[in-house]
Amino acid sequence: MSAVSAAVKTPAGANLPELNTPYGGSLRDLLLPADAALALKARIPSLPSVDLTDRQLCDLELLLNGAFSPLQGFLNQNDYESVVTDLRLADGTLWPLPITLDVSEAVAEKLSVGAELALRDAEGTPLAVLDVESIYRPDLAREAELVFGTQDALHPAVADLQKRTQPVYLGGKLRGLALPRHFDFEALRETPAQVRADLEARGWEQLVAFQTRNPIHRAHQELTVRAAAKAGGNVLLQPVVGRTKPGDVDHYTRVRCYQAILKHYPKGTVKLSLLPLAMRMAGPREAVLHAIIRKNYGASHFIVGRDHAGPGNDSTGKPFYEPYAAQELLVRHQQEIGIKVLPFPALVYASNRNTYVAQNELKADDVVADISGTELRRRLVTGESIPDWFTYPEVAEVLRARYPAKGARGGVVFFTGLSGSGKSTIANALIAKLSEQTARSVTLLDGDLVRKHLSKGLGFSKEDRSANVQRIGFVAAEVARHGGLAVCAPIAPYADDRKAVRDLVQGSGAAFIEIHVATSLEICEARDRKGLYAQARAGKLKQFTGIDDPYEAPEKPELRFDTDGQDPGVLAAQIVEALKTQGVIA
């Protein structure tokens, strides 16, 4: 059975009465009382521990604060297998997505059933202890196929499973010590219990929840106001501030957009609260999870639009999920969850009527105006106006501050190619051209220089090569985030690492231009002034890119050059024009 068919079937028990729902009732978090937490913390130094990834931290927070109720920890093997195949826990409770804790073989070898494992954040702060009840090695390809309906690595969750997920899963109950600490938007980071207490204090009984991982515009505002009117209630705006799709607008900007639009709602009708969810972009299955979460937060209704939580198109150009599959699946399970689904068609702007209209209610003579995400970014870069019918001026101002107009945008030029391909030569020519034309600060991150300073001590294993490129990417993204220009010239042989750098840079609002210096291996060897290729051919230098270690050529770089017989200055001038096109320099 494919994941798509598994995702849209209706398992037995889908018509349970609302009073029997396991969600949103006697909600409790998994945090220990203060005295018990203090006693457990005293034993932490004696326990094995792991530092959690960003995704795992998001999952842990929603487990500890009750948003993932009725889960009491990471899934055991029986629950995992049942969720993957049937969208249900082993006891029959509806649960659409596996919430799992993946660890390395090295960590797993130190554990046995009955052990305790301390879970820490990136700074080493202990947040919880997992009572290990299950240690298992999942079939990750099967999980991808059944849960997400594809093996296509363009699906971000599938790419995670294929390239970043550790081979062993641990299941068991959690004892919480503390929630992860956030220093941004602290007043808006409420637990389900806090939100529900506030709703009760306000006397709000009918609450329509709305989620997006994108900035909020006029169409979203129109949609939520209409949905609230239909339900006879108020609105819970709950943007995701955890992990979303790579390349999405950063959550700081998203939240500021939400804050800016609040005054355009009728007074006293909307509550803004943040959700630290790590999205899987799982379409229909994820829509069910979102509804369960909103029930736990106290919502009575949930808006589901077209292609809810979809990741876009696959490698053949087709959408991963049918546009209304999420609505269809969620409607089947709404009674069991205890929440009313409000399935809305897309709203479009009919310029001849000066109003938003449901797409299925358009008339033959309507003139539809639209601004795509690509067009919006183009207008931001060029400084062109953004019409009020598309977004409110306050929201446009937030976006303009994040994406400065032409000539003020940060950018990264990222060269990749074999040793001796000419990367450093073109990079130096580019810096000279830029310095000639602009006073902008330019930072060079050359492969050899980085290894001498930033990555001193790293070897040439795949892991160390990846770490080297990730460090370059981090520094480059920071330079670009502050409006500077970074020119990077590592070999960067692995596609995954280059994509991670691209996502990091673009996620900060900066431009990213990847340049494949595609000079042939033969030419690179002929230029070998350091004798490295000769040593590699003789077996004296191991894991050398192009000889006994692979180079994964970029499929769609912004520019591709073969430097054989080409003038570096001419090539650098072409890059300058690309920077102008992307609005990095005027």
Side-chain angles (χ1 to χ4, degrees):
M1 179 188 302
S2 73
V4 175
S5 59
V8 297
K9 71 177 186 175
T10 307
N15 294 315
L16 294 177
E18 183 175 335
L19 291 178
N20 290 342
T21 178
Y23 321 101
S26 55
L27 182 72
R28 67 181 183 87
D29 59 41
L30 305 180
L31 294 168
L32 293 173
D35 54 347
L38 191 62
L40 184 56
K41 281 182 180 179
R43 294 200 297 110
I44 292 294
S46 66
L47 300 180
S49 67
V50 292
D51 291 348
L52 300 182
T53 65
D54 289 344
R55 177 189 62 76
Q56 292 169 341
L57 277 171
C58 289
D59 288 349
L60 178 69
E61 182 165 1
L62 296 187
L63 285 165
L64 294 182
N65 72 15
F68 278 168
S69 182
L71 298 190
Q72 298 181 51
F74 292 101
L75 295 187
N76 288 317
Q77 186 170 9
N78 288 343
D79 285 327
Y80 165 80
E81 295 291 349
S82 184
V83 168
V84 167
T85 57
D86 295 323
L87 291 85
R88 292 185 178 274
L89 301 175
D91 66 4
T93 300
L94 179 69
W95 194 266
L97 287 173
I99 305 300
T100 55
L101 179 64
D102 60 298
V103 299
S104 67
E105 289 283 4
V107 171
E109 287 173 0
K110 300 176 183 177
L111 300 172
S112 59
V113 172
E116 298 173 304
L117 179 68
L119 307 182
R120 302 176 183 268
D121 65 15
E123 285 73 42
T125 303
L127 300 174
V129 169
L130 176 73
D131 295 321
V132 180
E133 299 172 355
S134 184
I135 303 173
Y136 55 105
R137 289 161 179 78
D139 184 338
L140 298 178
R142 179 174 179 270
E143 180 179 333
E145 189 64 44
L146 289 178
V147 175
F148 304 109
T150 182
Q151 299 289 342
D152 192 329
L154 281 185
H155 192 300
V158 172
D160 270 352
L161 287 173
Q162 293 176 347
K163 303 170 183 178
R164 289 175 280 278
T165 299
Q166 302 279 8
V168 183
Y169 284 179
L170 304 178
K173 291 184 173 62
L174 289 166
R175 285 176 285 161
L177 302 172
L179 294 175
R181 182 68 193 277
H182 303 282
F183 297 96
D184 61 320
F185 307 113
E186 292 182 83
L188 298 176
R189 291 182 177 272
E190 300 168 288
T191 67
Q194 290 170 329
V195 170
R196 289 166 64 173
D198 185 45
L199 299 177
E200 184 176 356
R202 296 179 187 225
W204 290 4
E205 296 182 358
Q206 302 299 312
L207 186 69
V208 177
F210 176 71
Q211 163 181 322
T212 179
R213 63 178 218 276
N214 296 308
I216 188 168
H217 298 301
R218 286 289 296 269
H220 304 117
Q221 192 259 1
E222 292 274 352
L223 176 65
T224 51
V225 168
R226 295 182 190 189
K230 183 176 181 179
N234 298 288
V235 177
L236 172 64
L237 292 178
Q238 202 168 38
V240 172
V241 294
R243 189 177 179 205
T244 60
K245 184 180 177 182
D248 280 352
V249 173
D250 64 277
H251 80 267
Y252 303 102
T253 301
R254 290 200 299 271
V255 175
R256 288 198 295 272
C257 288
Y258 272 78
Q259 291 174 319
I261 209 170
L262 286 179
K263 72 177 187 180
H264 292 284
Y265 282 87
K267 188 175 182 180
T269 65
V270 63
K271 176 179 177 61
L272 176 62
S273 184
L274 309 185
L275 181 67
L277 171 69
M279 292 185 67
R280 271 67 169 184
M281 309 304 298
R285 283 189 181 234
E286 181 136 353
V288 175
L289 178 64
H290 292 174
I292 290 172
I293 292 170
R294 276 17 183 260
K295 177 65 177 178
N296 286 330
Y297 271 92
S300 58
H301 296 72
F302 183 52
I303 298 172
V304 183
R306 187 180 186 277
D307 194 28
H308 185 94
N313 293 336
D314 62 19
S315 56
T316 69
K318 296 180 180 179
F320 279 102
Y321 305 112
E322 293 298 319
Y324 296 105
Q327 292 183 359
E328 293 168 4
L329 181 64
L330 192 46
V331 165
R332 296 178 192 178
H333 293 293
Q334 62 182 337
Q335 188 176 7
E336 185 173 3
I337 297 170
I339 198 166
K340 178 68 175 175
V341 177
L342 297 176
F344 270 82
L347 291 183
V348 295
Y349 183 71
S351 59
N352 55 307
R353 289 196 262 169
N354 192 29
T355 188
Y356 277 89
V357 181
Q359 198 166 34
N360 58 1
E361 296 176 1
L362 283 171
K363 299 178 181 178
D365 59 346
D366 280 335
V367 179
V368 174
D370 185 33
I371 293 180
S372 67
T374 301
E375 172 63 12
L376 175 61
R377 288 189 291 273
R378 189 192 69 79
R379 288 177 181 242
L380 290 170
V381 167
T382 61
E384 290 181 48
S385 64
I386 300 171
D388 289 352
W389 62 260
F390 176 77
T391 200
Y392 288 106
E394 297 90 340
V395 175
E397 184 177 347
V398 171
L399 292 173
R400 288 197 189 282
R402 190 67 187 87
Y403 298 92
K406 191 170 184 176
R409 189 182 184 198
V412 173
V413 177
F414 193 93
F415 292 94
T416 174
L418 296 172
S419 177
S421 61
K423 301 183 300 298
S424 297
T425 302
I426 306 174
N428 284 308
L430 174 63
I431 290 174
K433 293 285 186 186
L434 289 172
S435 300
E436 180 184 46
Q437 298 182 34
T438 177
R440 297 278 293 280
S441 172
V442 184
T443 300
L444 174 64
L445 296 169
D446 181 75
D448 290 341
L449 290 175
V450 168
R451 279 196 169 272
K452 184 178 179 181
H453 300 290
L454 183 64
S455 294
K456 187 176 182 179
L458 288 181
F460 290 90
S461 66
K462 187 177 191 305
E463 293 74 19
D464 283 0
R465 288 169 188 255
S466 293
N468 181 53
V469 173
Q470 299 279 353
R471 291 180 186 181
I472 290 173
F474 175 78
V475 174
E478 286 298 295
V479 169
R481 187 167 67 86
H482 293 284
L485 305 178
V487 177
C488 311
I491 292 174
Y494 307 126
D496 274 358
D497 296 329
R498 297 193 300 264
K499 183 179 185 303
V501 175
R502 177 185 290 272
D503 291 341
L504 187 63
V505 171
Q506 292 180 334
S508 73
F512 184 84
I513 296 177
E514 182 180 42
I515 301 173
H516 179 204
V517 185
T519 309
S520 70
L521 177 61
E522 293 74 18
I523 297 297
C524 292
E525 285 197 73
R527 295 174 176 173
D528 188 16
R529 291 176 295 175
K530 300 177 183 178
L532 300 178
Y533 282 101
Q535 293 180 54
R537 293 287 187 189
K540 298 178 181 179
L541 191 60
K542 302 295 185 182
Q543 294 178 302
F544 192 81
T545 301
I547 304 301
D548 59 351
D549 201 68
Y551 177 79
E552 301 170 358
E555 294 183 0
K556 296 180 179 179
E558 278 70 18
L559 293 170
R560 195 188 308 269
F561 298 136
D562 182 342
T563 60
D564 186 27
Q566 297 292 318
D567 181 83
V570 173
L571 299 179
Q574 293 181 36
I575 302 169
V576 170
E577 290 304 312
L579 288 168
K580 291 180 179 179
T581 300
Q582 290 218 21
V584 177
I585 57 177

XYZ file of all heavy atoms in Angstrom, residues 168-212:
363
model
N 18.976 4.154 14.812
C 18.289 3.487 15.920
C 17.251 4.426 16.527
O 17.529 5.611 16.742
C 19.291 3.053 17.010
C 18.572 2.288 18.121
C 20.395 2.186 16.404
N 16.054 3.886 16.789
C 15.006 4.640 17.474
C 14.897 4.164 18.918
O 14.986 2.956 19.199
C 13.649 4.438 16.799
C 13.438 5.195 15.506
C 12.231 5.055 14.803
C 14.401 6.041 14.970
C 12.004 5.738 13.621
C 14.186 6.728 13.791
C 12.981 6.563 13.107
O 12.764 7.244 11.934
N 14.681 5.100 19.829
C 14.423 4.801 21.230
C 12.999 5.229 21.567
O 12.579 6.324 21.209
C 15.393 5.550 22.146
C 16.892 5.343 21.907
C 17.685 6.197 22.882
C 17.273 3.877 22.037
N 12.275 4.366 22.255
C 10.927 4.705 22.691
C 10.817 4.608 24.194
O 11.550 3.854 24.848
N 9.887 5.370 24.747
C 9.658 5.305 26.182
C 9.022 6.559 26.720
O 8.872 7.569 26.006
N 8.635 6.511 27.974
C 7.993 7.651 28.630
C 9.034 8.686 29.042
O 10.203 8.367 29.294
C 7.193 7.187 29.840
C 5.963 6.367 29.488
C 5.165 6.022 30.733
C 3.842 5.348 30.374
N 4.029 4.078 29.659
N 8.577 9.928 29.130
C 9.441 11.041 29.498
C 9.114 11.552 30.889
O 7.945 11.598 31.299
C 9.272 12.193 28.499
C 9.844 11.984 27.103
C 9.302 13.051 26.152
C 11.372 12.014 27.109
N 10.151 11.948 31.595
C 9.992 12.718 32.832
C 10.651 14.074 32.590
O 11.874 14.166 32.422
C 10.644 11.980 34.005
C 9.840 10.771 34.492
C 10.577 10.018 35.571
N 11.680 9.236 35.034
C 12.696 8.768 35.764
N 12.767 9.069 37.051
N 13.645 8.050 35.196
N 9.825 15.099 32.553
C 10.318 16.408 32.172
C 10.912 17.191 33.321
O 10.348 17.229 34.422
N 12.041 17.822 33.042
C 12.704 18.690 34.017
C 12.387 20.153 33.755
O 12.190 20.935 34.684
C 14.216 18.472 33.974
C 14.691 17.041 34.250
C 16.185 16.926 33.985
C 14.360 16.637 35.681
N 12.362 20.534 32.475
C 12.081 21.924 32.099
C 11.783 21.967 30.613
O 12.251 21.119 29.849
C 13.271 22.825 32.426
N 11.015 22.969 30.206
C 10.797 23.184 28.778
C 12.025 23.871 28.179
O 12.743 24.597 28.889
C 9.569 24.075 28.562
C 8.216 23.496 28.961
C 7.122 24.544 28.797
C 7.893 22.248 28.156
N 12.291 23.656 26.900
C 13.385 24.395 26.258
C 13.189 25.893 26.451
O 12.059 26.407 26.372
C 13.262 23.997 24.787
C 12.590 22.657 24.810
C 11.632 22.715 25.962
N 14.273 26.608 26.695
C 14.198 28.042 26.959
C 14.289 28.817 25.650
O 15.167 28.570 24.823
C 15.325 28.479 27.900
C 15.296 29.960 28.265
C 14.085 30.293 29.123
N 13.870 31.720 29.215
C 14.499 32.546 30.059
N 15.404 32.064 30.891
N 14.225 33.832 30.087
N 13.368 29.773 25.480
C 13.395 30.667 24.326
C 13.457 32.103 24.845
O 12.760 32.456 25.797
C 12.138 30.481 23.466
C 11.922 29.080 22.985
N 12.612 28.541 21.933
C 11.093 28.097 23.438
C 12.219 27.300 21.746
N 11.305 26.995 22.640
N 14.250 32.917 24.195
C 14.384 34.304 24.621
C 13.678 35.277 23.674
O 13.731 36.488 23.886
C 15.872 34.662 24.746
C 16.595 33.862 25.795
C 17.301 32.728 25.452
C 16.518 34.233 27.131
C 17.952 31.978 26.422
C 17.163 33.490 28.114
C 17.880 32.354 27.756
N 13.038 34.747 22.643
C 12.319 35.602 21.700
C 10.812 35.440 21.903
O 10.317 34.339 22.154
C 12.696 35.245 20.265
C 12.343 33.808 19.912
O 12.525 32.922 20.760
O 11.872 33.570 18.786
N 10.084 36.539 21.811
C 8.622 36.543 21.883
C 8.120 35.731 23.086
O 7.175 34.935 22.984
C 8.010 35.989 20.587
C 8.500 36.649 19.332
C 9.262 35.956 18.410
C 8.203 37.988 19.065
C 9.719 36.556 17.241
C 8.648 38.606 17.907
C 9.413 37.892 16.998
N 8.742 35.928 24.233
C 8.438 35.082 25.400
C 6.972 35.165 25.818
O 6.383 34.165 26.235
C 9.351 35.468 26.562
C 10.817 35.123 26.309
C 11.721 35.454 27.473
O 11.813 34.633 28.402
O 12.316 36.548 27.460
N 6.366 36.332 25.697
C 4.967 36.479 26.112
C 4.018 35.708 25.217
O 2.876 35.418 25.614
C 4.580 37.962 26.118
N 4.451 35.372 24.008
C 3.588 34.656 23.057
C 3.825 33.155 23.072
O 3.116 32.415 22.390
C 3.824 35.181 21.636
C 3.511 36.653 21.393
C 3.879 37.045 19.960
C 2.044 36.940 21.660
N 4.799 32.695 23.844
C 5.116 31.266 23.894
C 4.382 30.641 25.081
O 4.932 30.491 26.165
C 6.625 31.056 23.984
C 7.368 31.435 22.701
C 8.853 31.152 22.831
N 9.596 31.442 21.607
C 9.782 30.587 20.609
N 9.270 29.367 20.694
N 10.479 30.934 19.539
N 3.153 30.246 24.833
C 2.294 29.709 25.876
C 2.097 28.206 25.689
O 2.040 27.702 24.567
C 0.933 30.396 25.846
C 0.997 31.902 26.053
C -0.326 32.576 25.719
O -0.651 32.649 24.526
O -1.021 32.992 26.658
N 1.964 27.499 26.796
C 1.643 26.082 26.737
C 0.151 25.917 26.453
O -0.635 26.870 26.593
C 1.968 25.405 28.081
O 1.071 25.915 29.080
C 3.418 25.684 28.493
N -0.272 24.715 26.059
C -1.712 24.496 25.866
C -2.532 24.852 27.101
O -3.615 25.446 26.980
C -1.785 23.001 25.545
C -0.483 22.698 24.889
C 0.518 23.544 25.624
N -2.030 24.500 28.281
C -2.777 24.809 29.501
C -2.914 26.312 29.687
O -3.982 26.813 30.115
C -2.086 24.178 30.708
N -1.874 27.073 29.388
C -1.938 28.531 29.531
C -2.912 29.145 28.532
O -3.674 30.054 28.875
C -0.544 29.125 29.356
C 0.406 28.815 30.497
C 1.845 29.213 30.197
O 2.275 29.183 29.037
N 2.599 29.564 31.228
N -2.886 28.650 27.285
C -3.824 29.168 26.284
C -5.254 28.867 26.698
O -6.138 29.735 26.628
C -3.514 28.563 24.897
C -4.625 28.900 23.901
C -2.173 29.084 24.381
N -5.509 27.655 27.148
C -6.872 27.289 27.512
C -7.367 28.076 28.720
O -8.546 28.449 28.804
C -6.936 25.784 27.769
C -6.800 24.992 26.469
C -6.517 23.542 26.695
N -7.614 22.861 27.369
C -7.655 21.556 27.567
N -6.655 20.805 27.134
N -8.670 21.007 28.180
N -6.466 28.354 29.663
C -6.853 29.176 30.814
C -7.213 30.583 30.368
O -8.182 31.185 30.868
C -5.714 29.213 31.835
N -6.465 31.126 29.411
C -6.756 32.458 28.900
C -8.086 32.485 28.148
O -8.867 33.428 28.284
C -5.621 32.923 27.981
C -5.801 34.353 27.496
O -6.146 35.224 28.316
O -5.613 34.597 26.291
N -8.355 31.432 27.369
C -9.621 31.368 26.640
C -10.798 31.317 27.607
O -11.835 31.959 27.382
C -9.639 30.138 25.728
C -8.565 30.073 24.650
C -8.664 28.770 23.862
C -8.661 31.266 23.706
N -10.624 30.559 28.670
C -11.699 30.468 29.673
C -11.925 31.816 30.338
O -13.070 32.233 30.564
C -11.336 29.411 30.712
C -12.437 29.183 31.746
C -12.104 28.072 32.720
O -11.042 27.422 32.559
O -12.909 27.853 33.650
N -10.820 32.517 30.630
C -10.949 33.833 31.260
C -11.659 34.826 30.338
O -12.394 35.699 30.793
C -9.569 34.356 31.648
N -11.436 34.678 29.029
C -12.084 35.564 28.067
C -13.526 35.154 27.784
O -14.273 35.920 27.171
C -11.315 35.554 26.749
C -9.891 36.099 26.806
C -9.241 36.004 25.441
N -7.832 36.362 25.442
C -7.261 37.144 24.535
N -7.986 37.658 23.559
N -5.969 37.409 24.595
N -13.870 33.958 28.169
C -15.210 33.461 27.878
C -15.392 33.036 26.432
O -16.510 33.007 25.919
N -14.299 32.676 25.764
C -14.362 32.254 24.362
C -14.626 30.753 24.291
O -13.782 29.946 24.688
C -13.049 32.558 23.644
C -12.801 34.020 23.411
C -13.559 35.070 23.833
C -11.697 34.585 22.700
N -13.017 36.247 23.433
C -11.866 35.988 22.734
C -10.600 34.059 22.055
C -10.962 36.863 22.138
C -9.701 34.919 21.458
C -9.880 36.302 21.489
N -15.771 30.377 23.778
C -16.123 28.962 23.672
C -15.892 28.422 22.265
O -15.510 27.257 22.092
C -17.578 28.747 24.087
C -17.835 29.082 25.564
C -19.267 28.813 25.963
O -20.068 28.397 25.078
O -19.594 29.006 27.143
N -16.143 29.232 21.264
C -15.914 28.825 19.874
C -14.652 29.519 19.375
O -14.605 30.746 19.280
C -17.108 29.204 18.993
C -18.437 28.606 19.456
C -18.414 27.100 19.445
O -17.998 26.477 18.461
N -18.851 26.486 20.539
N -13.633 28.715 19.113
C -12.335 29.274 18.731
C -11.859 28.622 17.438
O -11.719 27.400 17.350
C -11.309 29.035 19.840
C -9.951 29.704 19.628
C -10.079 31.218 19.750
C -8.928 29.186 20.635
N -11.597 29.450 16.442
C -11.147 28.987 15.131
C -9.635 29.139 15.054
O -9.112 30.254 15.130
C -11.820 29.798 14.007
C -11.291 29.355 12.650
C -13.330 29.644 14.070
N -8.924 28.017 14.906
C -7.453 28.034 14.851
C -6.984 28.116 13.407
O -7.568 27.504 12.507
C -6.887 26.795 15.520
N -5.900 28.867 13.212
C -5.327 29.041 11.880
C -3.822 28.953 11.979
O -3.202 29.522 12.872
C -5.722 30.396 11.285
C -5.091 30.680 9.944
C -5.495 29.993 8.811
C -4.086 31.629 9.812
C -4.920 30.244 7.568
C -3.505 31.897 8.584
C -3.927 31.205 7.464
N -3.234 28.232 11.057
C -1.778 28.042 11.032
C -1.231 28.326 9.648
O -1.839 27.978 8.645
C -1.429 26.596 11.394
C -0.008 26.212 11.004
C 0.308 24.774 11.344
O -0.108 24.269 12.366
N 1.058 24.112 10.490
N -0.076 28.962 9.616
C 0.695 29.033 8.385
C 2.157 29.114 8.761
O 2.511 29.575 9.845
C 0.297 30.245 7.524
O 1.111 30.263 6.353
C 0.490 31.544 8.258
